[in-house]
Amino acid sequence: MKKILIVEDEIFISEMYAKVFADNGWGVDTALDGETAITKATTTHFDMILLDIMLPKVTGIDVLKKLREILSASKESPVYMITNLGQEDIMNEAFKLGAVGYIVKSQLTPKDIVQEINSFFEKQARKDAVS
Amino acid sequence: MLVFLGFATFPVLIALALVLRSFNESSVVPAIIFGVTFFLGVALIVLVFYAARIMPNSINALIKGTQILGAGHLDEKINIKSGDEFEDLATAFNEMAEKLKNSVYKLTAERNKMQVVLSGIRDGVIAVDLEHKVILFNKAAEDLTGYKQEEVLGKNITHILRVFDKNSEITVSEYCPIRYDEFEGILFQKNALRILVKEKLLFANFSSGKISEGANVNLGCLLTLHDVSVEQQLEAMKLDFVSMAAHELRTPLTSVRGYADILKSQIWDRLNQEEKEYFYRLQTSADNLGNLIDNLLSAAKIERGAFKVERKPLDLVGHIRSIVDNFQEHARTKQQTLKFIEPQDLIPLVQADGFRIGQVVSNLLSNAINYTYPAGSIEVSVHIIKSEIARSMVSVSVKDTGQGIPKSALPHLFTKFFRVSGSLEAGSKGTGLGLFICKSIVNLHEGEIWVESIEGKGSTFTFTVPVATQADIEGYHNKKMLNGFVRPDSHAIIRRA
């Protein structure tokens, strides 16, 4: 079972994504702030991290930075930024730090997001098969 | 002087009469000769005596008087009461001094008035000479820059302030070119420029002008600075607020959409037709709210100059055909026929942002459906506008048989927040941002958008986008090799390529 960490401070949204991912066969863990996210990702390996940008205490960008810096169980895990901000500079920074995708939450249903994540892994599998 | 001579002659005449009597007995003629000679001699003595005593006084008074006037004491009078030409001369001098005094007074008043006006002007006014040295610096310029007039007079303007537009510095030869010709008027004018003064950044509407006698009076140009820092701050705050509010609105919307979707998948099969219709309405309303928020964000971005399009070669025909397909259901609910007219000509690839052009077409289509009566028809067509001189364009037209637009509304149709009032009000909705955004998108593509409309008959909206050149196509293929990614709000998902 693939494991996903959902980092989202809005409890409604966090639970909503958690439910849909669980329904689709994922092992789900959640973090409501940046600090918790770093702790969880450092100790546990996740196959995917959904990371909100506007978080209390430590922002999503800082979480991403930290994850890439320190020795962590999820150092290499693919990260999708999930946000309702459409700021190009933030997005560029996230991509520079190695995020693999950027999702505008309000424009998608949770199912769309599961689909996007699944298709990411399918593509990844195809790439791996080729190489 | 003649009067003096008259008085002086009186004793001489008595003496002459005495002499003539003594000469009566001998010879008359020599006596006359002697008398006249004697008279003239005495007259001469009197005259010399007079000139030596009286004239130097008048001349001295005149010299002294003119010196006083020359020193600028125009209130002083030359006082000569000689009753002769010297007095006339003195009077003329006094009149001249009086006129001079009036002129000086008028000039001073004019200068003071000018200074009051300049210091009263709330815009900074700076005059520089032909070498760009400051010769005038009004009170507002002092307040604006923090410099005092006496600190800057004679200094080169470039040592006092630097002017920047959005991208680069504007040099003094650009904003204050020195011209010796007869030109008179505005030399340079730009709004919301950044002015760097004493390491402080101001925003100002900046303009410079020249008068035709400038070169004669050593006036290079006159700069005015209208401080808009506060306005800029407010504008930035407004845009930040809109962005923040839109973001905050998107958060609950995410929940509404998400939970509606979860609920739908769990109970859909158990719902009756009426309940399903409620679900449809719930989701349509959430979509509409989402579009409103996106439009607000787009409009804020347009104003900030941060709205961008990512142009690449695009098959416009296929793109539009599929958008039209997506609207078929919407048109059917209003019993309208919606048709995509397949183009007769071959339409080449255009250089456009597919998502943004999709926004334009969707906006025009949804307007057409909203403003067309049931049983009306809507046609979408694509044409090529070939040009030998300029770049060829492809035009897209959305033609409806709707209620049309009043003539008076046509010029304002593409301006922000404009909504057609009156008869259309009942059937209209929206924020008045749709067409404003459409126009911005089309303009970013170097295209044009316009409307032809007859009230009661219908409207045709047309926009153009440029055809992709060979260079565009090759450039795109090269760029694709370097992993790029798409902007955040053009798609809901952006992946690393």
Side-chain angles (χ1 to χ4, degrees):
Chain A
M1 189 195 270
K2 278 201 166 82
K3 274 205 301 205
I4 187 166
L5 176 65
I6 297 166
V7 188
E8 165 66 62
D9 63 324
E10 284 288 325
I11 186 89
F12 285 6
I13 297 176
S14 169
E15 286 182 359
M16 174 174 88
Y17 290 156
K19 181 191 160 40
V20 178
F21 271 95
D23 285 354
N24 281 276
W26 283 77
V28 181
D29 200 352
T30 57
L32 291 172
D33 60 70
E35 271 174 16
T36 317
I38 293 167
T39 314
K40 288 193 173 181
T42 314
T43 50
T44 315
H45 168 75
F46 290 97
D47 300 284
M48 171 61 71
I49 298 173
L50 289 191
L51 183 54
D52 188 14
I53 290 175
M54 297 260 284
L55 287 171
K57 294 186 229 170
V58 187
T59 70
I61 292 290
D62 290 334
V63 171
L64 184 59
K65 241 184 241 171
K66 196 87 187 166
L67 281 183
R68 299 303 184 216
E69 269 169 27
I70 59 170
L71 204 63
S72 94
S74 302
K75 195 177 171 85
E76 306 293 327
S77 302
V79 173
Y80 263 83
M81 305 309 289
I82 51 171
T83 180
N84 274 326
L85 289 171
Q87 278 156 321
E88 212 157 322
D89 44 347
I90 296 179
M91 185 202 67
N92 286 342
E93 197 177 352
F95 277 119
K96 246 185 243 162
L97 290 168
V100 294
Y102 193 100
I103 287 169
V104 180
K105 290 182 279 189
S106 70
Q107 294 176 348
L108 297 169
T109 65
K111 254 189 278 172
D112 294 331
I113 297 177
V114 172
Q115 221 167 52
E116 166 63 21
I117 304 300
N118 284 340
S119 75
F120 168 80
F121 281 109
E122 277 163 31
K123 256 193 227 159
Q124 203 68 17
R126 274 203 302 275
K127 258 192 209 167
D128 291 347
V130 171
S131 62
Chain B
M1 189 168 148
L2 289 172
V3 181
F4 266 85
L5 262 179
F7 277 114
T9 332
F10 187 64
V12 179
L13 282 176
I14 297 168
L16 187 64
L18 288 170
V19 171
L20 281 176
R21 213 175 48 193
S22 65
F23 275 101
N24 246 351
E25 291 134 27
S26 52
S27 166
V28 175
V29 176
I32 290 172
I33 293 170
F34 175 77
V36 169
T37 314
F38 180 77
F39 165 74
L40 286 176
V42 172
L44 196 67
I45 290 163
V46 170
L47 206 66
V48 168
F49 173 77
Y50 166 79
R53 258 199 74 193
I54 308 295
M55 276 175 64
N57 282 347
S58 301
I59 289 174
N60 281 342
L62 264 179
I63 290 172
K64 216 171 150 196
T66 50
Q67 277 171 345
I68 291 170
L69 293 181
H73 305 291
L74 298 177
D75 285 327
E76 295 292 323
K77 293 268 181 293
I78 304 175
N79 208 357
I80 297 175
K81 291 283 177 235
S82 56
D84 54 12
E85 283 88 344
F86 283 110
E87 191 177 335
D88 292 346
L89 203 58
T91 310
F93 265 122
N94 286 339
E95 280 170 7
M96 193 181 73
E98 190 64 26
K99 280 182 185 157
L100 202 59
K101 196 174 87 180
N102 284 339
S103 298
V104 169
Y105 175 77
K106 271 187 197 157
L107 273 177
T108 313
E110 204 62 40
R111 195 193 61 193
N112 289 344
K113 208 159 73 185
M114 184 76 134
Q115 249 152 15
V116 169
V117 168
L118 278 177
S119 61
I121 288 177
R122 290 172 67 181
D123 288 349
V125 179
I126 303 169
V128 298
D129 66 12
L130 298 166
E131 288 170 333
H132 291 132
K133 284 183 187 151
V134 175
I135 49 177
L136 186 149
F137 204 78
N138 78 341
K139 176 81 173 57
E142 288 184 344
D143 294 343
L144 201 65
T145 59
Y147 279 112
K148 288 275 158 219
Q149 166 156 265
E150 49 275 16
E151 289 176 79
V152 296
L153 284 184
K155 281 198 184 139
N156 196 295
I157 185 76
T158 54
H159 298 154
I160 294 153
L161 51 86
R162 293 172 68 186
V163 185
F164 297 84
D165 67 6
K166 227 172 212 166
N167 308 308
S168 56
E169 180 159 7
I170 299 173
T171 62
V172 68
S173 54
E174 282 175 83
Y175 69 74
C176 180
I178 299 301
R179 297 175 59 151
Y180 292 93
D181 56 8
E182 287 300 297
F183 175 82
E184 190 162 62
I186 304 281
L187 293 164
F188 176 89
Q189 197 166 33
K190 241 177 183 177
N191 285 349
L193 290 182
R194 287 151 221 246
I195 314 285
L196 187 66
V197 176
K198 281 189 173 177
E199 289 160 21
K200 196 174 74 178
L201 199 61
L202 312 163
F203 286 92
N205 295 344
F206 191 97
S207 70
S208 71
K210 173 186 174 285
I211 54 169
S212 60
E213 304 96 82
N216 302 333
V217 290
N218 193 22
L219 175 68
C221 60
L222 204 62
L223 312 171
T224 55
L225 291 96
H226 178 72
D227 187 8
V228 291
S229 303
V230 177
E231 286 91 328
Q232 282 286 320
Q233 271 169 4
L234 279 177
E235 185 63 20
M237 272 166 66
K238 190 188 88 186
L239 292 175
D240 280 351
F241 173 76
V242 171
S243 299
M244 215 50 221
H247 173 257
E248 292 303 316
L249 289 170
R250 273 175 163 179
T251 304
L253 182 67
T254 310
S255 285
V256 171
R257 273 183 167 166
Y259 282 107
D261 199 59
I262 291 172
L263 200 57
K264 190 179 171 186
S265 62
Q266 288 183 344
I267 62 168
W268 186 251
D269 294 340
R270 284 177 274 148
L271 296 182
N272 64 33
Q273 206 49 46
E274 193 184 343
E275 288 162 339
K276 282 182 179 170
E277 173 62 23
Y278 294 161
F279 239 107
Y280 170 75
R281 290 183 185 182
L282 189 66
Q283 289 188 312
T284 314
S285 303
D287 289 348
N288 287 343
L289 183 58
N291 287 337
L292 280 178
I293 295 168
D294 293 347
N295 277 350
L296 273 175
L297 272 176
S298 296
K301 277 195 166 184
I302 289 167
E303 295 211 319
R304 214 175 26 214
F307 192 84
K308 286 177 188 146
V309 294
E310 199 160 277
R311 298 164 66 188
K312 54 189 181 200
L314 172 78
D315 166 25
L316 192 63
V317 176
H319 191 51
I320 288 176
R321 193 191 290 123
S322 78
I323 295 169
V324 173
D325 277 349
N326 290 339
F327 275 87
Q328 285 297 356
E329 184 56 36
H330 191 182
R332 245 195 306 277
T333 60
K334 289 195 76 179
Q335 293 101 48
Q336 296 160 347
T337 27
L338 169 60
K339 249 198 305 194
F340 176 67
I341 315 275
E342 290 293 336
Q344 300 289 312
D345 300 311
L346 183 74
I347 305 290
L349 293 179
V350 294
Q351 181 71 357
D353 182 326
F355 175 79
R356 295 287 184 212
I357 290 301
Q359 272 188 307
V360 176
V361 177
S362 299
N363 203 295
L364 297 181
L365 272 175
S366 92
N367 279 348
I369 292 171
N370 283 337
Y371 296 118
T372 299
Y373 307 105
S377 74
I378 297 151
E379 283 177 1
V380 181
S381 56
V382 181
H383 300 275
I384 172 94
I385 307 167
K386 282 191 179 143
S387 170
E388 295 296 327
I389 343 153
R391 201 167 179 176
S392 294
M393 305 292 276
V394 172
S395 71
V396 179
S397 295
V398 178
K399 183 181 174 191
D400 66 50
T401 57
Q403 36 194 301
I405 301 152
K407 230 179 187 163
S408 62
L410 289 176
H412 315 289
L413 214 53
F414 295 98
T415 49
K416 196 175 61 171
F417 296 128
F418 179 79
R419 294 176 67 235
V420 178
S421 56
S423 63
L424 287 180
E425 195 76 53
S428 71
K429 45 187 174 183
T431 49
L433 287 174
L435 287 176
F436 167 70
I437 294 169
C438 285
K439 186 178 164 63
S440 306
I441 292 173
V442 172
N443 289 348
L444 283 169
H445 281 84
E446 296 158 59
E448 281 176 69
I449 185 164
W450 67 93
V451 60
E452 294 150 282
S453 185
I454 300 168
E455 226 178 327
K457 295 258 173 155
S459 310
T460 305
F461 283 84
T462 307
F463 71 89
T464 56
V465 278
V467 165
T469 61
Q470 198 54 39
D472 288 334
I473 295 167
E474 280 162 18
Y476 172 64
H477 286 303
N478 294 338
K479 202 174 145 197
K480 226 169 47 169
M481 306 297 284
L482 311 158
N483 289 350
F485 40 77
V486 204
R487 287 174 330 278
D489 60 349
S490 59
H491 301 276
I493 304 170
I494 305 100
R495 288 180 210 103
R496 238 165 116 99

